[in-house]
Amino acid sequence: MTERAQAAPGRRTVIGAGAAALTTAALGVTTTAQAADRNGGHGGHRLDLPVPTVIGHRGTSGYRPEHTLGSYQLALDMGAHIIEQDLVPTRDGHLVCRHENDITATTDVSAHPEFANRRTTKTVDGVSLTGWFTEDFTLAELKTLRAKERIPANRQKNTLYDGRWEIPTFEEVLRWADREGRRRGKPVWLYVETKHPTYFRGLGLGLEEPLAKLLRRYGRHRAQSPVILQSFEPGSVQRLARLVATPRIVLLSGAGTKPWDFEVSGDPRTTDDLVKPAGLKWMASFAQGIGPTLDLIIPKDAAGRLTEPTTLVRDAHAQGLVLHPYTMRNENTFLPADFRRGTDPNAYGDAFGAFAAYFATGIDGIFSDNPDTALLAAADFTAKR
Amino acid sequence: MTERAQAAPGRRTVIGAGAAALTTAALGVTTTAQAADRNGGHGGHRLDLPVPTVIGHRGTSGYRPEHTLGSYQLALDMGAHIIEQDLVPTRDGHLVCRHENDITATTDVSAHPEFANRRTTKTVDGVSLTGWFTEDFTLAELKTLRAKERIPANRQKNTLYDGRWEIPTFEEVLRWADREGRRRGKPVWLYVETKHPTYFRGLGLGLEEPLAKLLRRYGRHRAQSPVILQSFEPGSVQRLARLVATPRIVLLSGAGTKPWDFEVSGDPRTTDDLVKPAGLKWMASFAQGIGPTLDLIIPKDAAGRLTEPTTLVRDAHAQGLVLHPYTMRNENTFLPADFRRGTDPNAYGDAFGAFAAYFATGIDGIFSDNPDTALLAAADFTAKR
C-alpha cells in the first residue's frame, strides 16, 4: 500500500560462495548465483541488498546539493538502499566527498577572495580544466567552503540549500553511517568511488591506501561489509582488491572510450572490449559487478530514443557479475527522448516509463538522482513480476 | 551535523496539568505552562512534540499529490513531527482524506464517464461550487478514482505521481500510522481536521461521531494520544471535546471572517473578536491551541510584505494556548513578497528567511507543504536560541 520497496518481498543480490549454500532458485537469482558458483565464487561476497537495488546518486542530487550530509541524509530517509560517495583527496591527504576535484561549480570557492590565487588550469585525465581543485587545498581550508547546487539552471529549487552544508570528509560519512545504522538497527550501505586514481597517484596522493585504512578502521573491509567500491579505472579496483575484501564493481563509460589507466599503461582495450565475454570474464576475476552507462544496456538512436537492449545483462550475468548502471534522472533533459513530456527541459518527463524499460532488461540495480522515484518504480517492477 | 530537528535538544510543547509537575523553566515553556496552570490546565493534555513543531501539511503537498498515503509516507520519512489529514464523508458515511468534498481538482473523477452525471452545482458554506463531491459517492465508488496534483501549474513535478494513489480512508491512515509507529518504535502523530462540519451535519453526515468512534477504536481518544484535532468551526471542536479527550485546536481564518457555524447560529463574533483576550479565553475553555493563518501572526502590507507581528502569540500564550499557524510553502508565489527571489512564481524563494521571521515570533509550530525545509529551518532556529 505504501509502496516501499524495502517492505516488498523479492529478489536479493546474492553472489558467490555464500549464495551457493542457499536455495538460489527460491531467491530468484539463479543466473547470477549459478554463474558465480561456476566461477568459483568471489571470496564469499554477498550483497544482501534488495533487487532492483536503488542507489542514491551523490545522495539525492535531484533534491539537494550533491555530496553533502544533507543529500545523504535525505537519501537514507527516503529509503535508498545504498548511498554513493565520490572521493577526491586534499593537499594534506584527506579523502573528501566531491564528484570532481574541480570544485568550481559545487562550492562557493569563487566567492572566497583569500583563495582567488588558487584558481589554475590543469590537465586531468587528458582534459584541460580551469578552476579550483581539492588537491590544492588543505582539509582545513576546504572546510571553510560551503557546497552549492552544481546545475542551478536545471535544479533551481536545490539552490535553496546552497551554503548550508560543508564538504564532508569520507570519515565523517562513515561516522554518520555508523550512527544512523545504530539508530535504525540496520547497516547503512555506502557505494564509494575512487576518482581519477592514476592522476592522483602521480601527485603522490594515491586514493586506495587511505580508503582501505578508513574502511578497516570502521570495520567495512570485509567481503560482507555494507560497502561497494567502484572506479572507472580497473587498475584501481584491482588495487583495492589487494587491500580489502570489500565488494567491488568496475564502472564502464560509453562505447569506444578507454579507462584512463589503460591510456597510461598502453592497454589497447576499450569499453567495447570490456563488455565482450572475454572482457567480462577478466573483470569477474577481481570484481563482483559492473556499473555501465545506461546506453550500454539500451543504446539510443540518433534522435535520443531507446532502441533494443544489448546482450550485456545476459553476458555479464553469465560471468557472475551484477549490473548497476547509471544514471536515471527525472527531468526531461536527462531522459531518453521517448519519455520526455511537454517542452520544459527541466520539467519531469515519464520517469516511471524509463525506469520500467531499464528494469525490464534484468539489471540488478540503478543509480538515480531521484531515489524516491526509483523506489516506487522498483516496487512497481517487483509487484508485476 | 545532520541538522535533524528531532535529534536536537530543545523546547517541547507541554500543556496543562502534566506540565505543572515539571520544571517548566528548564523546558523553556514557562509562559505556556504557567498560563495553563493559571487556567487550571486542560484536562492533563500534554503535546509531547518538539517545538517548533513541524506539521506536514496534507502530508508533503509540496512534493506529492496531497492527502495520499504516498504524501503521508514521505512526510514521515522526512521527519515531520505530525502529519495532517482533512476529513470529508462519503455518501455511505465513511471518512476519507481530502482537503475539500469537491474532488474535481484532486482526483481523476472528470475522466470517469460513469460518473459524468454526478457533476453538479451546490452551495457549501455559502459558496457556489460546480464539480464532483464526496458526499455523492459511496466509498466503493471513490476507491475507483485516483488522486492527482491539485495545482499542476505550480507543481509540475508532482504530476509524475498522478494516478498512483487512491483516496485514503481515515481508517487506512490510522492503520498505516499504527504500523509505522511499531516499525519506528515511536508513535506517528496525526493532525486531523473536520471539514465543513455544519454543512455535513445538515446532510445527516455528521463528522464528529464517526471520527470519535475511529479514534476510540485505535486508542487515540485520550488526552495524551498522539493526535491533535482541528476545525475552523469552534462548534465542531466543542462537539469533539464532549466525545473524546484528544487535544484540540481551533483554526482561525483571515481577519474579518466568521466561522460558518457562527454564521448559521447567528453568533456575531468574527476572527477579530476571537483573537482578542476574551475570545482566546473562551477558546481556551475547550481547546488547547489555535491554528491562525500566518497573516494573523505577521500581517502583510498592500505590497504583500511582512509588517510588524501582532500581539497574538503573547495573548494566546497568556491563555495557555499553543499556536500552530498555516501555511508555509517554498514557492515565490506563496511567500511574503520580501522573500521572493527572481521572476519565476514557481521557483523557490528565500523560504528560510520567511521561516525564521515566523519562528522568531514565538509560535509553537507551523503547517508547511515542505516539511523537510521546515525541519531544517526549525533546527536553525533552535541552534540560535
Side-chain angles (χ1 to χ4, degrees):
Chain A
M1 181 169 62
T2 61
E3 303 194 335
R4 289 177 67 87
Q6 308 95 296
R11 198 159 61 114
R12 297 183 79 82
T13 297
V14 180
I15 304 175
L22 298 167
T23 311
T24 51
L27 286 165
V29 288
T30 315
T31 308
T32 306
Q34 286 179 343
D37 198 35
R38 267 203 308 281
N39 292 327
H42 297 279
H45 290 96
R46 185 168 189 277
L47 300 180
D48 189 13
L49 287 164
V51 173
T53 304
V54 171
I55 305 154
H57 188 238
R58 313 180 194 176
T60 40
S61 45
Y63 312 114
R64 294 288 185 270
E66 64 187 37
H67 290 310
T68 58
L69 285 175
S71 184
Y72 301 150
Q73 182 72 54
L74 184 59
L76 186 64
D77 290 345
M78 285 180 159
H81 302 134
I82 180 165
I83 303 168
E84 190 198 40
Q85 290 80 45
D86 293 316
L87 299 187
V88 291
T90 66
R91 190 169 71 189
D92 46 348
H94 294 276
L95 298 180
V96 295
C97 301
R98 288 288 92 187
H99 182 246
E100 289 295 340
N101 49 329
D102 179 352
I103 53 172
T104 311
T106 65
T107 70
D108 61 359
V109 64
S110 66
H112 282 253
E114 71 276 23
F115 296 134
N117 62 358
R118 306 280 174 96
R119 188 164 183 272
T120 184
T121 297
K122 49 178 80 183
T123 301
V124 180
D125 297 0
V127 179
S128 176
L129 299 166
T130 298
W132 286 263
F133 298 82
T134 58
E135 66 267 29
D136 298 332
F137 291 77
T138 64
L139 177 59
E141 287 170 339
L142 282 180
K143 279 292 185 181
T144 67
L145 307 181
R146 292 296 176 271
K148 66 176 190 180
E149 172 54 36
R150 182 177 59 89
I151 44 173
N154 298 106
R155 292 173 171 167
Q156 184 275 339
K157 293 183 177 182
N158 299 9
T159 66
L160 180 59
Y161 306 98
D162 282 1
R164 174 161 288 270
W165 291 292
E166 300 176 358
I167 297 177
T169 66
F170 182 54
E171 184 159 21
E172 285 169 347
V173 175
L174 286 164
R175 285 200 208 111
W176 165 83
D178 273 3
R179 194 167 59 243
E180 289 288 336
R182 280 192 302 273
R183 199 161 75 83
R184 288 157 196 261
K186 64 176 185 179
V188 173
W189 280 75
L190 304 177
Y191 213 128
V192 187
E193 180 177 349
T194 56
K195 303 292 297 191
H196 312 300
T198 295
Y199 167 81
F200 284 121
R201 187 160 297 274
L203 300 179
L205 290 168
L207 297 168
E208 295 83 359
E209 294 81 1
L211 169 54
K213 190 173 169 186
L214 281 170
L215 292 172
R216 276 193 297 272
R217 185 179 301 164
Y218 288 86
R220 289 177 178 257
H221 58 297
R222 302 186 181 93
Q224 301 197 9
S225 292
V227 175
I228 303 176
L229 302 173
Q230 52 172 335
S231 185
F232 278 103
E233 296 189 14
S236 180
V237 177
Q238 291 175 305
R239 191 182 296 271
L240 286 165
R242 292 191 293 271
L243 293 167
V244 287
T246 314
R248 300 165 292 278
I249 70 119
V250 180
L251 295 168
L252 295 172
S253 204
T257 64
K258 185 184 264 203
W260 185 250
D261 57 335
F262 283 19
E263 197 73 57
V264 170
S265 69
D267 190 318
R269 291 175 295 172
T270 68
T271 295
D272 305 23
D273 301 298
L274 293 177
V275 297
K276 286 178 185 149
L280 294 166
K281 186 176 181 183
W282 175 69
M283 290 187 287
S285 70
F286 59 88
Q288 288 71 46
I290 57 173
T293 176
L294 282 164
D295 291 351
L296 291 171
I297 305 292
I298 311 182
K300 297 194 189 87
D301 65 18
R305 292 170 185 274
L306 295 187
T307 61
E308 287 303 302
T310 65
T311 61
L312 182 55
V313 171
R314 190 185 67 204
D315 296 344
H317 279 170
Q319 298 297 336
L321 294 164
V322 298
L323 296 98
H324 289 166
Y326 62 92
T327 301
M328 258 297 294
R329 300 177 169 99
N330 288 355
E331 292 93 348
N332 276 321
T333 191
F334 301 121
L335 284 172
D338 16 1
F339 298 100
R340 293 180 192 149
R341 296 292 177 266
T343 55
D344 179 354
N346 302 317
Y348 282 179
D350 179 16
F352 284 112
F355 274 116
Y358 289 124
F359 286 150
T361 64
I363 56 174
D364 302 276
I366 197 159
F367 286 84
S368 176
D369 289 7
N370 309 90
D372 55 338
T373 312
L375 284 162
L376 292 169
D380 288 349
F381 177 71
T382 302
K384 278 180 189 147
R385 256 202 328 235
Chain B
M1 183 168 62
T2 61
E3 303 194 336
R4 289 178 67 87
Q6 308 94 296
R11 198 159 60 114
R12 297 183 80 82
T13 296
V14 181
I15 303 175
L22 298 166
T23 310
T24 51
L27 286 165
V29 288
T30 315
T31 308
T32 306
Q34 287 180 342
D37 197 36
R38 266 204 308 281
N39 292 327
H42 297 279
H45 290 96
R46 185 167 190 278
L47 301 180
D48 189 14
L49 287 164
V51 173
T53 303
V54 171
I55 305 154
H57 187 237
R58 312 180 195 177
T60 40
S61 45
Y63 312 114
R64 294 288 185 270
E66 65 187 36
H67 290 309
T68 58
L69 285 174
S71 184
Y72 301 149
Q73 182 72 54
L74 184 59
L76 186 64
D77 291 345
M78 285 180 159
H81 302 134
I82 180 165
I83 302 168
E84 191 199 39
Q85 291 80 45
D86 293 316
L87 300 187
V88 291
T90 67
R91 190 169 69 188
D92 45 349
H94 294 277
L95 298 180
V96 295
C97 302
R98 288 288 92 187
H99 182 247
E100 289 294 340
N101 50 329
D102 179 352
I103 53 172
T104 312
T106 65
T107 70
D108 61 359
V109 65
S110 66
H112 282 252
E114 71 275 23
F115 297 134
N117 62 359
R118 305 279 175 96
R119 187 164 183 273
T120 184
T121 297
K122 49 178 80 182
T123 301
V124 180
D125 298 0
V127 179
S128 176
L129 299 166
T130 298
W132 287 263
F133 297 82
T134 58
E135 66 267 28
D136 298 332
F137 291 77
T138 64
L139 177 59
E141 288 170 338
L142 282 181
K143 279 292 185 181
T144 67
L145 307 181
R146 291 296 175 271
K148 66 177 191 181
E149 172 54 37
R150 181 177 60 89
I151 45 174
N154 299 106
R155 292 174 170 167
Q156 184 275 340
K157 293 183 177 181
N158 299 8
T159 65
L160 180 59
Y161 306 98
D162 282 1
R164 175 161 287 270
W165 292 292
E166 300 176 358
I167 297 177
T169 66
F170 183 54
E171 184 159 21
E172 285 168 347
V173 175
L174 287 164
R175 285 200 208 112
W176 164 82
D178 273 3
R179 193 166 59 243
E180 290 288 336
R182 280 193 301 273
R183 198 161 75 83
R184 289 157 196 260
K186 63 177 185 178
V188 173
W189 280 76
L190 304 177
Y191 213 128
V192 187
E193 180 177 349
T194 55
K195 303 291 298 192
H196 313 300
T198 294
Y199 166 81
F200 284 121
R201 187 160 297 274
L203 300 179
L205 290 168
L207 297 168
E208 295 83 359
E209 294 81 2
L211 169 55
K213 190 174 170 185
L214 281 169
L215 292 173
R216 276 193 296 272
R217 185 179 301 164
Y218 288 86
R220 288 177 178 257
H221 58 296
R222 302 187 181 91
Q224 301 197 8
S225 292
V227 175
I228 303 176
L229 302 173
Q230 52 171 336
S231 186
F232 278 103
E233 296 189 14
S236 180
V237 178
Q238 291 175 305
R239 192 182 295 272
L240 287 165
R242 292 192 292 271
L243 293 168
V244 287
T246 314
R248 300 166 292 278
I249 70 119
V250 179
L251 295 167
L252 295 172
S253 204
T257 64
K258 186 185 264 201
W260 184 251
D261 57 335
F262 283 19
E263 197 73 57
V264 170
S265 69
D267 190 319
R269 290 175 296 172
T270 68
T271 294
D272 305 23
D273 301 298
L274 293 177
V275 297
K276 286 179 185 149
L280 294 167
K281 187 176 181 183
W282 175 69
M283 290 188 287
S285 70
F286 59 88
Q288 288 70 46
I290 57 173
T293 176
L294 282 164
D295 291 351
L296 291 172
I297 304 292
I298 311 182
K300 297 193 190 88
D301 64 18
R305 292 170 185 274
L306 295 187
T307 61
E308 287 303 302
T310 66
T311 60
L312 182 55
V313 171
R314 190 186 66 203
D315 296 345
H317 279 170
Q319 298 297 336
L321 294 164
V322 299
L323 296 97
H324 289 166
Y326 62 93
T327 301
M328 258 297 294
R329 300 176 169 100
N330 288 354
E331 292 94 346
N332 276 320
T333 190
F334 301 121
L335 284 173
D338 17 0
F339 297 101
R340 294 179 192 150
R341 296 291 177 266
T343 55
D344 179 353
N346 303 317
Y348 281 179
D350 179 16
F352 285 112
F355 274 116
Y358 289 124
F359 285 150
T361 64
I363 56 174
D364 302 276
I366 197 160
F367 286 84
S368 176
D369 289 7
N370 309 90
D372 55 338
T373 313
L375 285 162
L376 293 169
D380 288 350
F381 177 71
T382 302
K384 279 179 189 147
R385 256 201 327 235

